[in-house]
Amino acid sequence: MPDTGLSLLGIETSCDETAAAVVTGGKRILSNIIRTQIDIHAEYGGVVPEIASREHIRSLLPVIEAALEEAGIEAGNLAAVAVTQTPGLIGSLLVGLAAAKGAALALGIPLVAVDHLEAHIYAARLARPELDYPYLCLLASGGHTSLVWTESPLRYRTIGETVDDAAGEAFDKVASLLELGLPGGPAVERRARQGDPKRSPFPRPKVKAGDHRFSFSGLKTAVLYRVRGQDGRGEITLTEDEISDVCAGFQAAVVDSLVDHTTRAATELGARRVAIGGGVAANGPLREALSAAGSRNGFDLFAPPLSLCTDNAAMIAALGYHKLQAGEIAPLDVDAIP
Ligand code: KG4
Ligand code: ZN
């Protein structure tokens, strides 16, 4: 028996990744299986909720079996099953939740309902257990962008969030506008590498002291006008090089905004440790810029590996362990919250 703590099965189906993982003691990842549906949704230019639920139904049991097999653990030796309860696409969440309830009932083990965003915040600590509390976390995903003061695995305070689009949503919209395909963030990052942000600069929103709210919709509209003219409806007449420059300029503006706000909040709160989480935390220039800002401003950056930034079930199983330890067990009639 390699494991010394309690092993949890984690299940994540909130959007378009079907994922299952086994994590021991909230720390040791025994397996972390992710099956993405992105190629199926790419044909439609975005995630289609009905198709996502159907694909989760098709993939989830094989993904769970793969997670158990890779972990080398019998289902009967699991201590609990943790599942994403919120937020996400309702149909997708329900598939994961129904499977988790079934497993908990059949195995006679507790069900733990996990908040996907709290799990993203915990991912940095799962990757680097030496990350001590408290820490400031920049959470930047497809649906959320916020700064969260984190005091323990289960205690958080939101310091500021976006007033309009999430950072990931802006990446996705710009990718769609430039017809770069899905997923948008990595596509824009790749094109930005071939471009020069100085050839296509975008304005930065003004930031006031004490104001930690993000805003990305103005930037998104500025990209739209540059690409499709002042009515936002023209044909794209940019050359391939100019498209790369727009990607570079847009990405630089998003990174500056995220880094400025995070650095300001870290300084005001006296944070010595800053973590990042969520899909946008996989962005290379953001990771580099925040790490450099940390060196200049006296905080250490804890950036999880890319596989723990984007959606995964290891973070669900890991946070689930702490909820289980705290006695936060969900009833079998618990509902998904979209
Ligand atoms: O956390 P996540 O996988 O799913 C949600 O909970 O939303 O985040 C997905 C978001 C998408 O908007 C995606 O375009 C963005 O994260 N993303 C990135 C990168 N990888 C994923 N954005 C910028 N650069 C990346 N490398
Ligand atoms: Zn996510």
Side-chain angles (χ1 to χ4, degrees):
M1 286 288 284
D3 53 317
T4 48
L6 300 176
S7 294
L8 273 78
L9 171 67
I11 296 176
E12 154 63 41
T13 61
S14 65
C15 190
D16 60 336
E17 329 275 1
T18 312
V22 179
V23 177
T24 299
K27 283 194 185 123
R28 236 164 66 85
I29 302 174
L30 301 187
S31 63
N32 189 17
I33 309 288
I34 301 169
R35 186 174 292 180
T36 180
Q37 309 173 354
I38 204 72
D39 291 347
I40 300 164
H41 298 288
E43 262 179 63
Y44 303 92
V47 175
V48 184
E50 289 78 7
I51 296 178
S53 331
R54 208 177 59 205
E55 289 302 316
H56 285 309
I57 292 172
R58 210 198 298 272
S59 301
L60 186 53
L61 286 181
V63 165
I64 291 174
E65 279 164 11
L68 293 174
E69 191 182 328
E70 192 174 306
I73 190 168
E74 299 283 331
N77 289 331
L78 292 169
V81 49
V83 61
T84 305
Q85 179 199 15
T86 188
L89 302 170
I90 185 69
S92 292
L93 289 168
L94 282 172
V95 176
L97 200 58
K101 287 177 183 177
L105 189 64
L107 297 167
I109 55 176
L111 175 72
V112 182
V114 172
D115 182 311
H116 180 89
L117 301 174
E118 293 183 3
H120 271 309
I121 294 167
Y122 187 73
R125 190 144 197 277
L126 170 59
R128 305 258 307 270
E130 73 273 21
L131 169 56
D132 283 332
Y133 291 100
Y135 61 84
L136 177 68
C137 183
L138 168 65
L139 169 66
S141 68
H144 294 82
T145 300
S146 40
L147 283 163
V148 183
W149 183 251
T150 309
E151 290 172 347
S152 77
L154 303 174
R155 280 192 57 184
Y156 310 90
R157 184 159 52 92
T158 300
I159 303 298
E161 52 199 334
T162 179
V163 294
D164 41 55
D165 293 351
E169 189 181 354
F171 269 100
D172 293 336
K173 285 183 177 162
V174 165
S176 143
L177 181 64
L178 293 169
E179 296 166 358
L180 300 179
L182 287 176
V188 171
E189 182 180 353
R190 267 195 306 278
R191 278 307 285 267
R193 275 186 220 131
Q194 298 155 33
D196 180 348
K198 290 193 219 70
R199 283 199 294 260
S200 189
F202 287 97
R204 281 32 176 181
K206 290 213 168 46
V207 185
K208 287 193 254 77
D211 182 356
H212 302 302
R213 291 174 301 172
F214 298 94
S215 170
F216 296 106
S217 91
L219 174 61
K220 177 192 68 188
T221 307
V223 174
L224 174 68
Y225 291 167
R226 190 158 308 165
V227 172
R228 293 196 183 269
Q230 283 307 316
D231 64 357
R233 291 167 183 213
E235 289 291 309
I236 304 180
T237 55
L238 303 183
T239 64
E240 290 298 315
D241 284 347
E242 284 168 337
I243 288 178
S244 301
D245 292 340
V246 168
C247 287
F250 160 78
Q251 177 176 260
V254 174
V255 167
D256 269 7
S257 164
L258 294 173
V259 172
D260 280 0
H261 274 88
T262 306
T263 304
R264 213 174 276 266
T267 306
E268 284 176 22
L269 295 163
R272 303 284 305 277
R273 292 168 295 276
V274 172
I276 50 177
V280 181
N283 184 267
L286 173 64
R287 296 162 77 94
E288 283 157 30
L290 257 182
S291 169
S295 306
R296 284 194 304 274
N297 293 278
F299 62 79
D300 288 327
L301 179 70
F302 291 78
L306 306 197
S307 60
L308 293 180
C309 290
T310 45
D311 287 349
N312 67 87
M315 65 181 188
I316 305 298
L319 186 60
Y321 168 83
H322 291 282
K323 297 195 85 165
L324 181 69
Q325 294 295 80
E328 289 188 33
I329 292 162
L332 283 177
D333 63 353
V334 65
D335 267 334
I337 308 170

